[in-house]
């Protein structure tokens, strides 16, 4: 997935959870941001280095693994008010297309499912490079982000503030910092 076709990149890669962050950012009380991440996920990328448009990505995130460093908030986010993890234990993304949009930039379009609602989204990714780690693993790095409206996925709970506005922003920024290991 570099500027020129690179057959060395062709292969199946799995996300390395120890070096990958699937995160999010939302405004809280209109004055600050709350950041969090999901700690339990699996992902696979099938990359065609000669023809990136033939590449694909799948990601499965366990909703219960949400972590904002606040147990009470995490419990509320797991509840029916937000992710309803009892009925919808997974958040998924399955690509439907990949398009090179710049030298090391790629738009990955796919179906994002949250709380049982599926919508098509496009995540712009930047290819950060390839390296062989000290253990002999071939790794690639990718970074991407997009902003969604949580209401589009049935995540509508909120509370009005005395000063105007709401406790939780409707928009949520999803962030992907990926380290993936090539499978032999």
């Amino acid at each position: 997935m570099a500027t020129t076709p690179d057959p060395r990149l062709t292969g199946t890669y799995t996300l390395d959870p120890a070096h990958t962050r699937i995160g999010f950012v939302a405004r809280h009380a209109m004055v600050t941001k709350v950041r969090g991440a999901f700690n339990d996920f699996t992902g696979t990328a099938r990359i065609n280095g000669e023809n990136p448009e033939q590449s694909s990505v799948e990601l499965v995130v366990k909703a219960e693994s949400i972590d904002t460093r606040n147990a009470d908030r995490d419990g509320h986010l797991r509840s029916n008010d937000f992710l309803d993890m009892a009925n919808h234990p997974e958040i998924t993304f399955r690509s439907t297309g990949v398009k090179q949009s710049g030298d090391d930039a790629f738009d990955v379009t796919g179906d994002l499912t949250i709380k049982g609602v599926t919508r098509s989204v496009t995540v712009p990714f930047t290819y950060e490079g390839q390296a062989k780690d000290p253990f002999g693993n071939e790794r690639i790095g990718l970074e991407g982000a997009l902003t969604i409206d949580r209401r589009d996925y049935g995540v509508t709970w909120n509370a009005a503030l005395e000063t105007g506005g709401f406790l939780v922003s409707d928009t949520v920024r999803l962030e992907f910092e990926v380290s993936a290991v090539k499978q032999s």
Side-chain angles (χ1 to χ4, degrees), residues 35-48:
R35 296 180 187 279
F38 293 94
N39 296 324
D40 187 1
F41 53 85
T42 58
T44 303
R46 289 168 189 81
I47 297 176
N48 185 321

Side-chain angles (χ1 to χ4, degrees), residues 43-62:
T44 303
R46 289 168 189 81
I47 297 176
N48 185 321
E50 295 182 75
N51 187 356
E53 288 76 20
Q54 293 180 1
S55 300
S56 65
V57 177
E58 289 185 18
L59 175 66
V60 178
V61 175
K62 300 293 183 187

Side-chain angles (χ1 to χ4, degrees), residues 49-50 55 72 76 84 97 112 133 137-138 142 154 160 167 169 178 180:
E50 295 182 75
S55 300
D72 291 338
H76 191 201
D84 189 15
L112 176 64
D133 68 23
N137 297 309
E138 298 218 19
L142 299 158
L167 185 62
S169 62
V178 175

Side-chain angles (χ1 to χ4, degrees), residues 38-173:
F38 293 94
N39 296 324
D40 187 1
F41 53 85
T42 58
T44 303
R46 289 168 189 81
I47 297 176
N48 185 321
E50 295 182 75
N51 187 356
E53 288 76 20
Q54 293 180 1
S55 300
S56 65
V57 177
E58 289 185 18
L59 175 66
V60 178
V61 175
K62 300 293 183 187
E64 70 184 353
S65 73
I66 196 165
D67 182 3
T68 64
R69 299 180 305 134
N70 180 290
D72 291 338
R73 179 174 45 230
D74 294 347
H76 191 201
L77 291 171
R78 290 180 186 112
S79 77
N80 186 43
D81 285 345
F82 288 93
L83 295 176
D84 189 15
M85 99 168 194
N87 293 307
H88 305 285
E90 296 179 341
I91 298 168
T92 62
F93 177 82
R94 288 184 177 77
S95 67
T96 56
V98 175
K99 178 182 171 200
Q100 188 160 358
S101 57
D103 286 349
D104 287 329
F106 299 86
D107 290 336
V108 179
T109 299
D111 294 329
L112 176 64
T113 302
I114 300 172
K115 201 174 177 182
V117 177
T118 302
R119 300 254 187 229
S120 180
V121 298
T122 299
V123 185
F125 275 97
T126 302
Y127 171 67
E128 298 296 330
Q130 175 185 26
K132 186 173 272 196
D133 68 23
F135 308 103
N137 297 309
E138 298 218 19
R139 292 181 175 272
I140 58 170
L142 299 158
E143 290 186 8
L146 82 150
T147 299
I148 62 168
D149 188 323
R150 64 189 177 88
R151 297 171 300 179
D152 291 343
Y153 296 89
V155 182
T156 58
W157 183 90
N158 224 330
L161 299 173
E162 280 184 30
T163 55
F166 292 93
L167 185 62
V168 182
S169 62
D170 292 330
T171 58
V172 177
R173 180 175 169 85

